[in-house]
Amino acid sequence: MTTQLADPPQTAAAKARGKWWALVFLALAQFMVVLDGTIVNLALPRLQAEMGISDSTRAWVVTAYALALGAFLLLGGRIADFWGRKRAFITASTGFALASLAGGLAQAPWELISARALQGLFAALLAPAALALLTVSFPGGKERGTAFAVFGSISGVGAAAGVLLGGFLTDYVSWRWCFFVNVPIAAIALVGVWKRVQESKAGGSTKYDWPGVAMAAFGLGSLVYGFTNAEHGWAAPETWGFILAGVALMAMFVVVERRVKHPLLPLRVASERNRAAAFLASFLAGAVLIGGILFINFYIQIVLGFAPFIAGVASLPMTVVLIVTAGITAKNLPVLGPKIPTAVGPIFMAAAMLWLTQVRADGSYLVNMLPALILLGIGLGLVFVPMQNLALFGVDKDDAGVASALVNASQQIGGSLGIALFSTVAAAATAAAGGAPMEALSDGYSAVFWWAAGFAVLIAPIALLLINISRSTFSGATSSDTPAVHL
C-alpha cells in the first residue's frame, strides 16, 4: 500500500505564491494584446505625415491588426490546446515582440502594415493561450473569481491605457515607441510564464480540423474586413459583399463542425446557454467599449481641443473606476452570482452613453464627459468579471484554449462592428447637421452615443433570459462540471 502525503506547508505556500505570480504575467500579456488595439489610434495623424501614407492606406494600420486577430483566434486557441498552452504562449510572446520591433523600425507603409498583421497573428495565439493557462491555474473557488476579476478588467484598462500611452509617446517621444513599448512587456511576460507556469495541453486526439480552420479564418476575416469597410458606405460592394460572405462561411462552418470527428470548435462550447450569454455579452460590450471609446476620444481631442496625452489622461477616471468596480464585483460574485451584475452593468453603460448624447461644441469635460466616464467604468467592471468567468465555466480542460479564443473573437468582432457602424452613423449625422463644423461634429458624436446606448441595453435581457447557473455552482461550492440551473 502507498500513502499520498500532503504537501509541506512551505511547498503549499510556494505553490500559492507561484499561482498569483502566474496571474500577473498572464494578465500582462492580455494587457499588451488589448493595448495594441488602441495605442496606434492617436499616433495615426503624425505617423501618416511622417511616412507619407494616404488616407485609404492609413486605415490598414488599424485594420491589419484586427483582421489577422479576428481571423485566426479560433485556430490559435486550438493550437494552444494541442501543442501546449505554455509553449504556445512563449512562442506567441516572442513573435509579438519581434513583429512590434519590425513595426517600430518600418520605413515604408507596406512594412508597417505587414508588421501590424504579424502582431495580430501572434496575438491570436497569445490571447487564448493566456486565458487557457489562467483557467488551468485557477480551476475553481473564490481564488478563481479574484483571478478572473483581474483578468476581466484588463480589457477595459488596456483599451483606455492604449489611448493614454499612445498619446504620451506620440507627443513626447515618437510614434515608433507605440511599437517598441511592446518588446519589454512581452519579454517580462515570457520570462515570468516560463518560470512560474506549468505546461498543460489537451489529451487524446490532436488532429486539426483543416476545413473548419479555413472556413473560420476566411469567415471571421471577411466579417472584420466588411465591417471595417463600412466607412465607405453600407451599400458599397466591399462592405455588404464581405459581410454576406462572412455570414455564409460561418454558417457553413457550423454545418462542418457538426459533422467532423475532431472539430475546431466543439459546438458544446458555444451552445451551453450560460456560455452563450457570455459570448453575446462580449460581442455587444466590445462594440460599446472599442467603438465608444474611439468617439469619446474624438470629442475630447477635436471638439474640446485636448492634446493627445492630455486626452489620454482625461480617460483615466474610467480606468480607475473600472478597476475598483471589478474588485468589488469579484469579492461579492459568489453571493450575487453572475446574473445580477451582468444585467445591472449594462444599465450603467447605457446611462453613460445617454449622458454623452448631450455633447455640444461649447461643452466642457467636467460636465459632458467626467460623469459618463465614471458610469461607464462602473458598468464595464460589473459586466467583464462575470462574463470572463461564464465564458470558461464548466469547459472541459481540453477545450480551454478554444473557449478562450471564442470570447476574445466575440469581443473583437463586436469592436469591429462598433467602429464601422458608429463611423457610418457619425458621418451621416454630421453631414445632415450642417452649420458650424464643431456643432456638426458634436451632432454626429451624439448620434453615435445613442446607438452605443442601444447596444449596451441589449446585454441586460440576454443576461436575464440565458444565465440560469446557480450561485453555489458558480462559486465553486459544488464539484460538478455541469452547471446547476434554477427552474
Side-chain angles (χ1 to χ4, degrees):
M1 295 179 63
T2 60
T3 302
Q4 185 166 353
L5 299 177
D7 288 334
Q10 297 89 343
T11 304
K15 286 184 176 180
R17 286 195 301 271
K19 184 161 54 176
W20 291 109
W21 272 112
L23 169 63
V24 171
F25 298 119
L26 293 171
L28 187 62
Q30 176 69 5
F31 173 81
M32 181 175 65
V33 170
V34 178
L35 181 82
D36 265 66
T38 57
I39 194 171
V40 179
N41 290 359
L42 292 183
L44 281 177
R46 196 164 299 177
L47 178 158
Q48 181 181 12
E50 287 189 16
M51 297 195 72
I53 298 176
S54 66
D55 287 345
S56 58
T57 304
R58 178 188 63 185
W60 277 100
V61 178
V62 176
T63 303
Y65 181 80
L67 186 61
L69 177 58
F72 292 101
L73 266 168
L74 286 178
L75 176 59
R78 243 352 179 196
I79 290 174
D81 284 334
F82 291 167
W83 193 40
R85 291 151 190 148
K86 180 177 177 179
R87 183 185 298 176
F89 183 97
I90 291 172
T91 301
S93 297
T94 304
F96 197 96
L98 293 174
S100 298
L101 185 63
L105 296 173
Q107 299 298 314
W110 71 267
E111 293 175 346
L112 182 63
I113 292 169
S114 298
R116 285 291 281 169
L118 283 173
Q119 281 185 314
L121 185 64
F122 285 111
L125 179 60
L126 182 62
L131 191 51
L133 284 171
L134 185 71
T135 305
V136 174
S137 299
F138 295 88
K142 292 182 179 180
E143 287 185 340
R144 178 189 174 101
T146 303
F148 273 79
V150 174
F151 205 87
S153 64
I154 290 297
S155 294
V157 172
V163 175
L164 173 64
L165 189 56
F168 174 80
L169 293 173
T170 302
D171 270 351
Y172 298 108
V173 190
S174 165
W175 63 264
R176 294 184 181 276
W177 275 93
C178 294
F179 293 90
F180 291 149
V181 72
N182 292 318
V183 177
I185 296 176
I188 293 169
L190 187 158
V191 172
V193 168
W194 177 51
K195 287 183 172 292
R196 297 283 184 174
V197 179
Q198 296 295 317
E199 181 62 282
S200 69
K201 58 183 175 180
S205 175
T206 56
K207 292 182 178 179
Y208 288 98
D209 166 26
W210 291 113
V213 168
M215 289 181 188
F218 284 111
L220 291 173
S222 293
L223 286 173
V224 173
Y225 184 65
F227 289 143
T228 303
N229 281 328
E231 63 178 337
H232 304 303
W234 291 95
E238 61 264 37
T239 300
W240 61 262
F242 278 97
I243 291 175
L244 287 179
V247 171
L249 284 167
M250 294 311 296
M252 293 170 60
F253 172 74
V254 173
V255 172
V256 168
E257 298 307 276
R258 287 181 179 275
R259 297 175 181 272
V260 297
K261 189 174 181 180
H262 305 289
L264 173 67
L265 173 62
L267 296 183
R268 62 181 177 273
V269 173
S271 59
E272 196 278 318
R273 61 185 293 166
N274 294 283
R275 287 197 292 272
F279 298 138
L280 290 171
S282 178
F283 173 82
L284 294 168
V288 177
L289 173 65
I290 299 174
I293 283 181
L294 179 65
F295 284 90
I296 286 172
N297 281 285
F298 280 169
Y299 177 77
I300 292 176
Q301 284 193 81
I302 299 172
V303 178
L304 298 184
F306 287 25
F309 175 58
I310 301 302
V313 173
S315 68
L316 277 180
M318 186 199 77
T319 304
V320 173
V321 172
L322 191 157
I323 293 172
V324 172
T325 305
I328 295 172
T329 303
K331 184 177 180 180
N332 294 281
L333 204 57
V335 176
L336 294 173
K339 179 182 286 191
I340 293 175
T342 309
V344 173
I347 298 173
F348 283 92
M349 293 167 62
M353 293 300 157
L354 290 174
W355 188 283
L356 290 170
T357 61
Q358 303 305 306
V359 293
R360 296 291 180 267
D362 58 352
S364 72
Y365 171 79
L366 290 177
V367 174
N368 295 102
M369 301 303 301
L370 184 58
L373 291 171
I374 292 172
L375 289 170
L376 187 58
I378 294 172
L380 291 171
L382 286 169
V383 170
F384 276 128
V385 174
M387 183 181 74
Q388 292 278 8
N389 274 272
L390 276 177
L392 290 155
F393 191 87
V395 172
D396 187 278
K397 62 181 181 180
D398 290 349
D399 296 328
V402 73
S404 306
L406 192 55
V407 70
N408 279 285
S410 301
Q411 185 171 324
Q412 188 64 38
I413 298 297
S416 298
L417 172 61
I419 291 175
L421 177 61
F422 298 164
S423 297
T424 305
V425 169
T430 300
M438 292 303 169
E439 288 287 353
L441 280 175
S442 298
D443 287 345
Y445 300 153
S446 177
V448 164
F449 297 133
W450 277 109
W451 277 83
F455 272 68
V457 165
L458 289 176
I459 300 173
I462 288 172
L464 293 172
L465 294 174
L466 291 183
I467 298 175
N468 66 344
I469 190 171
S470 71
R471 286 190 293 270
S472 60
T473 301
F474 186 73
S475 64
T478 62
S479 60
S480 172
D481 283 338
T482 303
V485 299
H486 295 299
L487 300 177

